Amino acid sequence: MWRNRLRRCALSAAGLLGACLLALPAQARYYDDVIDSGYIRIGLYRDFPPYSWLENGEPRGIDVEIGKRIAAGLGVLFEPHWITPDENLEDDLRNNVWKGHYLDKDDTRPLAPKQLADIMMRVPYDREYAYMRDSTGEIVNEQVVMFGAYQRERWQVAYNGERLDSVATLAVFQYHPIGVEIDSLPDFYLTSAFQGRMREHTRHYSNVREAFAAMRKGEVDAVMGMRAEIDWLVESAADGRIRLGDNGFPMMGKQEWDLGMAVKQTYRQLGYAVEAVVDDLIRSGQMEKLYANYGLRYELPGLYQEVAEGY
Protein backbone atom coordinates (compact mmCIF):
# COMPACT_ATOMS: atom_id res chain seq x y z
CA MET A 1 0.00 0.00 0.00
CA TRP A 2 2.73 2.45 0.91
CA ARG A 3 4.41 1.80 -2.48
CA ASN A 4 1.25 2.92 -4.25
CA ARG A 5 1.12 6.05 -2.13
CA LEU A 6 4.77 6.77 -2.93
CA ARG A 7 4.12 6.30 -6.67
CA ARG A 8 1.23 8.74 -6.54
CA CYS A 9 3.38 11.22 -4.65
CA ALA A 10 6.11 10.96 -7.28
CA LEU A 11 3.59 11.91 -9.95
CA SER A 12 2.35 14.89 -7.95
CA ALA A 13 3.71 18.42 -7.90
CA ALA A 14 6.96 19.17 -6.05
CA GLY A 15 4.96 20.98 -3.38
CA LEU A 16 3.66 17.62 -2.15
CA LEU A 17 7.14 16.35 -1.29
CA GLY A 18 6.40 16.62 2.43
CA ALA A 19 3.38 14.34 2.05
CA CYS A 20 5.58 11.78 0.33
CA LEU A 21 7.99 11.83 3.20
CA LEU A 22 5.23 11.29 5.72
CA ALA A 23 3.96 8.34 3.69
CA LEU A 24 7.25 6.46 3.97
CA PRO A 25 7.48 3.73 6.59
CA ALA A 26 10.10 3.80 9.33
CA GLN A 27 12.75 1.14 8.93
CA ALA A 28 12.64 -1.49 11.65
CA ARG A 29 13.87 -4.99 10.96
CA TYR A 30 13.15 -8.61 11.68
CA TYR A 31 15.86 -10.91 13.05
CA ASP A 32 16.47 -12.44 9.60
CA ASP A 33 16.81 -8.96 8.06
CA VAL A 34 19.44 -8.02 10.63
CA ILE A 35 21.43 -11.20 10.04
CA ASP A 36 21.17 -10.94 6.27
CA SER A 37 22.27 -7.30 6.31
CA GLY A 38 25.44 -8.10 8.24
CA TYR A 39 24.95 -5.38 10.87
CA ILE A 40 22.78 -4.43 13.84
CA ARG A 41 21.82 -0.86 14.64
CA ILE A 42 22.16 -0.24 18.41
CA GLY A 43 20.32 2.75 19.91
CA LEU A 44 22.62 4.76 22.22
CA TYR A 45 22.15 8.11 23.96
CA ARG A 46 24.41 10.91 22.72
CA ASP A 47 26.95 12.55 25.02
CA PHE A 48 26.07 10.39 28.02
CA PRO A 49 29.29 9.12 29.62
CA PRO A 50 30.09 6.60 30.95
CA TYR A 51 27.32 4.87 28.99
CA SER A 52 27.79 6.21 25.45
CA TRP A 53 29.58 9.10 23.78
CA LEU A 54 31.90 9.99 20.91
CA GLU A 55 35.61 10.54 21.55
CA ASN A 56 37.71 11.66 18.58
CA GLY A 57 34.94 10.40 16.35
CA GLU A 58 34.90 6.92 17.90
CA PRO A 59 31.98 5.52 19.97
CA ARG A 60 32.93 4.90 23.59
CA GLY A 61 31.12 3.83 26.74
CA ILE A 62 29.83 0.79 28.55
CA ASP A 63 26.69 0.56 26.37
CA VAL A 64 28.91 0.76 23.28
CA GLU A 65 30.97 -2.16 24.58
CA ILE A 66 27.85 -4.19 25.30
CA GLY A 67 26.48 -3.31 21.86
CA LYS A 68 29.68 -4.51 20.18
CA ARG A 69 29.44 -7.83 22.01
CA ILE A 70 25.79 -8.20 21.05
CA ALA A 71 26.80 -7.70 17.42
CA ALA A 72 29.66 -10.20 17.74
CA GLY A 73 27.33 -12.72 19.38
CA LEU A 74 24.96 -12.47 16.41
CA GLY A 75 27.82 -12.63 13.93
CA VAL A 76 27.18 -9.14 12.51
CA LEU A 77 28.80 -5.70 12.63
CA PHE A 78 28.00 -3.07 15.26
CA GLU A 79 26.43 0.17 14.02
CA PRO A 80 25.53 2.94 16.51
CA HIS A 81 22.21 4.75 16.22
CA TRP A 82 22.63 7.97 18.21
CA ILE A 83 19.64 9.15 20.23
CA THR A 84 19.08 12.76 21.23
CA PRO A 85 16.78 12.70 24.28
CA ASP A 86 13.29 14.10 23.77
CA GLU A 87 10.83 15.27 26.43
CA ASN A 88 10.44 11.84 28.00
CA LEU A 89 11.26 8.16 27.53
CA GLU A 90 7.99 7.45 25.72
CA ASP A 91 9.05 9.98 23.06
CA ASP A 92 12.49 8.35 22.80
CA LEU A 93 10.95 4.92 22.30
CA ARG A 94 8.52 6.22 19.68
CA ASN A 95 11.17 8.18 17.77
CA ASN A 96 13.85 5.51 17.81
CA VAL A 97 12.25 2.07 18.19
CA TRP A 98 8.81 1.81 16.60
CA LYS A 99 7.77 4.87 14.59
CA GLY A 100 10.56 7.32 13.91
CA HIS A 101 10.72 11.10 14.14
CA TYR A 102 9.08 13.07 11.34
CA LEU A 103 12.35 15.02 11.08
CA ASP A 104 15.07 12.37 10.86
CA LYS A 105 18.29 14.19 11.73
CA ASP A 106 20.53 11.29 10.70
CA ASP A 107 19.46 11.05 7.05
CA THR A 108 18.55 14.11 4.99
CA ARG A 109 18.43 12.40 1.57
CA PRO A 110 15.26 13.12 -0.42
CA LEU A 111 12.65 10.42 0.18
CA ALA A 112 14.97 8.58 2.61
CA PRO A 113 13.03 6.30 4.99
CA LYS A 114 13.21 7.14 8.66
CA GLN A 115 15.96 5.27 10.48
CA LEU A 116 15.19 3.29 13.62
CA ALA A 117 17.35 1.39 16.06
CA ASP A 118 17.04 -2.39 15.88
CA ILE A 119 17.34 -2.36 19.66
CA MET A 120 17.65 0.49 22.16
CA MET A 121 19.92 0.40 25.20
CA ARG A 122 19.41 1.82 28.71
CA VAL A 123 15.65 1.36 29.01
CA PRO A 124 14.08 0.80 32.46
CA TYR A 125 13.29 -2.87 33.01
CA ASP A 126 10.17 -2.25 35.04
CA ARG A 127 6.86 -4.06 34.70
CA GLU A 128 4.86 -1.14 36.09
CA TYR A 129 6.37 1.23 33.53
CA ALA A 130 6.06 -1.26 30.67
CA TYR A 131 2.30 -1.60 31.25
CA MET A 132 1.63 2.03 32.20
CA ARG A 133 -1.70 3.32 30.83
CA ASP A 134 -2.71 6.78 29.68
CA SER A 135 -5.83 8.70 30.70
CA THR A 136 -7.94 6.72 28.22
CA GLY A 137 -6.80 3.37 29.56
CA GLU A 138 -4.54 2.56 26.59
CA ILE A 139 -1.10 1.05 27.27
CA VAL A 140 1.38 3.84 26.55
CA ASN A 141 4.23 1.60 25.43
CA GLU A 142 2.25 -1.14 23.65
CA GLN A 143 4.41 -0.85 20.52
CA VAL A 144 7.62 -1.89 22.28
CA VAL A 145 8.90 -4.82 24.30
CA MET A 146 11.27 -4.08 27.17
CA PHE A 147 13.62 -6.97 27.84
CA GLY A 148 17.13 -8.09 28.71
CA ALA A 149 17.91 -6.46 32.07
CA TYR A 150 21.69 -6.14 32.23
CA GLN A 151 22.46 -3.79 35.14
CA ARG A 152 21.03 -2.47 38.39
CA GLU A 153 21.52 1.27 38.92
CA ARG A 154 21.11 3.39 42.05
CA TRP A 155 21.82 6.88 43.41
CA GLN A 156 25.17 7.90 44.84
CA VAL A 157 26.69 10.89 46.65
CA ALA A 158 30.34 11.91 46.22
CA TYR A 159 31.89 14.57 48.44
CA ASN A 160 35.03 16.58 49.02
CA GLY A 161 36.83 14.97 51.95
CA GLU A 162 38.52 18.28 52.78
CA ARG A 163 35.12 19.93 53.33
CA LEU A 164 33.21 17.06 54.95
CA ASP A 165 34.37 14.34 57.31
CA SER A 166 31.69 11.94 56.07
CA VAL A 167 28.19 11.72 54.60
CA ALA A 168 26.42 9.20 56.78
CA THR A 169 23.18 11.17 56.55
CA LEU A 170 21.77 13.80 54.22
CA ALA A 171 21.30 16.13 57.18
CA VAL A 172 24.75 17.59 56.46
CA PHE A 173 23.33 19.28 53.37
CA GLN A 174 21.32 21.60 55.54
CA TYR A 175 24.66 23.34 56.00
CA HIS A 176 26.85 22.30 53.04
CA PRO A 177 26.13 22.98 49.34
CA ILE A 178 25.49 20.00 47.05
CA GLY A 179 25.31 19.99 43.25
CA VAL A 180 22.69 18.14 41.16
CA GLU A 181 21.51 17.96 37.57
CA ILE A 182 18.60 20.33 37.15
CA ASP A 183 15.13 18.76 36.93
CA SER A 184 16.49 15.34 37.92
CA LEU A 185 15.07 13.18 40.70
CA PRO A 186 17.95 14.18 43.07
CA ASP A 187 17.04 17.82 42.36
CA PHE A 188 13.38 17.31 43.30
CA TYR A 189 14.34 15.20 46.30
CA LEU A 190 16.91 17.58 47.80
CA THR A 191 14.69 20.63 47.33
CA SER A 192 11.57 19.06 48.84
CA ALA A 193 12.51 16.35 51.38
CA PHE A 194 12.51 17.08 55.10
CA GLN A 195 10.28 20.13 54.67
CA GLY A 196 12.75 21.65 52.19
CA ARG A 197 15.56 22.01 54.71
CA MET A 198 18.20 21.27 52.04
CA ARG A 199 16.68 23.50 49.37
CA GLU A 200 18.82 26.53 50.21
CA HIS A 201 22.04 24.56 49.74
CA THR A 202 21.07 22.70 46.55
CA ARG A 203 22.91 24.01 43.47
CA HIS A 204 21.74 23.27 39.93
CA TYR A 205 23.85 22.32 36.89
CA SER A 206 23.03 21.16 33.38
CA ASN A 207 24.46 17.69 34.05
CA VAL A 208 26.31 15.67 36.69
CA ARG A 209 29.68 16.32 35.01
CA GLU A 210 29.31 20.06 35.52
CA ALA A 211 28.26 19.54 39.14
CA PHE A 212 31.31 17.32 39.72
CA ALA A 213 33.63 19.91 38.15
CA ALA A 214 32.08 22.54 40.44
CA MET A 215 32.85 20.35 43.46
CA ARG A 216 36.49 20.05 42.43
CA LYS A 217 36.67 23.86 42.11
CA GLY A 218 35.16 24.32 45.58
CA GLU A 219 31.79 25.72 44.49
CA VAL A 220 29.93 22.85 46.19
CA ASP A 221 31.00 20.27 48.75
CA ALA A 222 29.23 17.27 47.22
CA VAL A 223 27.29 15.99 44.21
CA MET A 224 24.49 13.48 43.80
CA GLY A 225 23.81 11.44 40.66
CA MET A 226 23.56 7.93 39.27
CA ARG A 227 26.18 5.61 40.70
CA ALA A 228 27.80 4.73 37.37
CA GLU A 229 28.18 8.42 36.48
CA ILE A 230 29.70 9.18 39.88
CA ASP A 231 32.03 6.16 39.72
CA TRP A 232 33.27 7.17 36.28
CA LEU A 233 33.87 10.79 37.29
CA VAL A 234 35.76 9.74 40.42
CA GLU A 235 37.87 7.29 38.42
CA SER A 236 38.60 9.82 35.69
CA ALA A 237 39.47 12.64 38.10
CA ALA A 238 41.91 10.61 40.21
CA ASP A 239 41.43 13.31 42.85
CA GLY A 240 42.43 12.08 46.30
CA ARG A 241 40.07 14.53 47.99
CA ILE A 242 36.93 12.88 46.60
CA ARG A 243 35.08 10.31 48.72
CA LEU A 244 31.94 8.25 48.17
CA GLY A 245 29.04 8.61 50.59
CA ASP A 246 27.48 5.56 52.22
CA ASN A 247 24.19 7.20 53.11
CA GLY A 248 20.65 6.19 52.26
CA PHE A 249 17.89 8.43 50.92
CA PRO A 250 14.89 8.35 53.28
CA MET A 251 11.45 8.95 51.71
CA MET A 252 12.91 9.03 48.19
CA GLY A 253 10.81 6.21 46.77
CA LYS A 254 12.59 4.09 44.18
CA GLN A 255 16.31 4.23 45.01
CA GLU A 256 17.44 1.40 42.73
CA TRP A 257 16.20 0.15 39.37
CA ASP A 258 17.11 -2.30 36.63
CA LEU A 259 18.11 -1.27 33.12
CA GLY A 260 17.57 -3.29 29.99
CA MET A 261 16.75 -2.85 26.30
CA ALA A 262 13.76 -2.28 24.03
CA VAL A 263 12.72 -3.65 20.65
CA LYS A 264 9.63 -3.03 18.52
CA GLN A 265 6.94 -5.48 19.64
CA THR A 266 6.72 -7.14 16.21
CA TYR A 267 10.42 -8.05 16.30
CA ARG A 268 10.49 -10.22 19.41
CA GLN A 269 12.66 -12.88 17.76
CA LEU A 270 15.48 -10.34 17.51
CA GLY A 271 14.94 -9.50 21.18
CA TYR A 272 15.20 -13.17 22.17
CA ALA A 273 18.49 -13.55 20.28
CA VAL A 274 19.96 -10.38 21.82
CA GLU A 275 18.78 -11.38 25.29
CA ALA A 276 20.59 -14.73 24.98
CA VAL A 277 23.86 -12.94 24.18
CA VAL A 278 23.47 -10.56 27.12
CA ASP A 279 22.52 -13.41 29.46
CA ASP A 280 25.77 -15.17 28.58
CA LEU A 281 27.76 -11.97 29.22
CA ILE A 282 26.23 -11.70 32.68
CA ARG A 283 26.51 -15.36 33.70
CA SER A 284 30.10 -15.71 32.43
CA GLY A 285 31.27 -12.66 34.38
CA GLN A 286 32.19 -10.76 31.21
CA MET A 287 29.63 -8.04 31.94
CA GLU A 288 31.19 -7.24 35.31
CA LYS A 289 34.62 -7.01 33.65
CA LEU A 290 33.31 -4.58 31.05
CA TYR A 291 32.09 -2.29 33.82
CA ALA A 292 35.35 -2.63 35.74
CA ASN A 293 37.26 -1.50 32.64
CA TYR A 294 35.52 1.86 33.00
CA GLY A 295 36.08 2.02 36.75
CA LEU A 296 32.44 1.18 37.50
CA ARG A 297 30.93 -1.04 40.14
CA TYR A 298 28.61 -3.63 38.65
CA GLU A 299 25.43 -4.83 40.31
CA LEU A 300 23.38 -7.72 38.99
CA PRO A 301 19.79 -6.99 37.92
CA GLY A 302 17.11 -8.15 40.35
CA LEU A 303 16.24 -11.38 38.52
CA TYR A 304 19.86 -12.57 38.67
CA GLN A 305 20.15 -11.58 42.32
CA GLU A 306 17.13 -13.73 43.13
CA VAL A 307 18.68 -16.70 41.32
CA ALA A 308 21.99 -16.19 43.14
CA GLU A 309 20.16 -16.08 46.47
CA GLY A 310 18.33 -19.34 45.68
CA TYR A 311 14.79 -18.07 45.17
Side-chain angles (χ1 to χ4, degrees):
M1 181 181 296
W2 70 267
R3 290 186 178 87
N4 292 332
R5 280 185 286 172
L6 179 57
R7 189 177 297 112
R8 288 197 296 272
C9 285
L11 296 173
S12 301
L16 296 179
L17 177 62
C20 297
L21 291 172
L22 291 174
L24 286 164
Q27 281 191 345
R29 306 186 301 162
Y30 288 98
Y31 170 79
D32 289 342
D33 295 330
V34 170
I35 301 302
D36 290 344
S37 73
Y39 70 93
I40 184 169
R41 193 180 296 124
I42 307 288
L44 306 162
Y45 279 104
R46 295 181 188 270
D47 193 27
F48 194 27
Y51 311 112
S52 48
W53 77 98
L54 281 171
E55 186 173 299
N56 299 322
E58 292 296 321
R60 287 204 62 204
I62 187 63
D63 285 348
V64 171
E65 299 301 326
I66 297 170
K68 288 179 177 179
R69 281 154 181 81
I70 289 171
L74 298 179
V76 296
L77 298 176
F78 162 80
E79 180 178 302
H81 170 92
W82 294 105
I83 297 170
T84 300
D86 210 313
E87 292 295 323
N88 52 51
L89 179 59
E90 296 88 77
D91 291 339
D92 294 345
L93 291 167
R94 181 189 64 244
N95 294 340
N96 296 280
V97 175
W98 64 270
K99 184 176 182 180
H101 200 287
Y102 73 98
L103 292 176
D104 190 337
K105 300 178 178 63
D106 291 331
D107 196 340
T108 57
R109 294 173 298 165
L111 298 180
K114 302 179 182 71
Q115 297 297 304
L116 294 175
D118 294 315
I119 66 166
M120 177 175 162
M121 305 291 293
R122 202 144 294 276
V123 176
Y125 185 79
D126 182 271
R127 181 177 178 83
E128 183 177 340
Y129 177 76
Y131 292 98
M132 178 176 65
R133 296 179 181 271
D134 62 19
S135 58
T136 67
E138 296 294 323
I139 297 177
V140 175
N141 297 304
E142 66 176 350
Q143 295 293 330
V144 299
V145 175
M146 300 172 198
F147 71 99
Y150 60 90
Q151 176 211 344
R152 172 157 287 190
E153 185 63 277
R154 60 179 68 240
W155 301 109
Q156 177 70 55
V157 168
Y159 64 95
N160 184 337
E162 293 181 351
R163 300 289 190 91
L164 290 164
D165 293 330
S166 67
V167 179
T169 171
L170 289 176
V172 298
F173 300 118
Q174 297 178 77
Y175 317 104
H176 291 268
I178 180 170
V180 295
E181 180 177 346
I182 192 167
D183 291 336
S184 64
L185 183 56
D187 178 12
F188 297 129
Y189 177 68
L190 289 169
T191 54
S192 61
F194 306 108
Q195 292 78 49
R197 293 173 187 170
M198 297 174 286
R199 182 182 303 120
E200 181 181 347
H201 292 283
T202 302
R203 306 286 184 267
H204 300 95
Y205 298 89
S206 61
N207 54 56
V208 176
R209 301 190 300 280
E210 286 191 7
F212 192 87
M215 177 175 63
R216 296 187 67 196
K217 290 188 292 186
E219 296 176 9
V220 294
D221 296 343
V223 297
M224 180 177 172
M226 288 186 288
R227 181 172 62 183
E229 286 189 276
I230 297 295
D231 283 355
W232 182 75
L233 289 165
V234 171
E235 176 76 9
S236 301
D239 188 332
R241 299 174 301 167
I242 308 303
R243 307 280 188 272
L244 294 175
D246 55 3
N247 56 289
F249 305 98
M251 299 181 293
M252 190 176 189
K254 182 168 287 190
Q255 301 185 31
E256 57 187 36
W257 61 99
D258 290 341
L259 289 162
M261 298 166 283
V263 67
K264 189 174 180 179
Q265 60 93 11
T266 48
Y267 303 111
R268 292 172 183 263
Q269 184 183 3
L270 177 61
Y272 296 147
V274 170
E275 189 169 39
V277 175
V278 170
D279 180 71
D280 182 65
L281 290 174
I282 294 172
R283 294 181 186 278
S284 67
Q286 294 179 65
M287 185 73 78
E288 185 173 8
K289 290 178 181 177
L290 291 178
Y291 276 75
N293 289 340
Y294 280 85
L296 311 179
R297 289 168 287 174
Y298 178 69
E299 185 175 355
L300 287 168
L303 176 62
Y304 291 87
Q305 291 187 26
E306 292 174 4
V307 171
E309 293 169 0
Y311 286 97

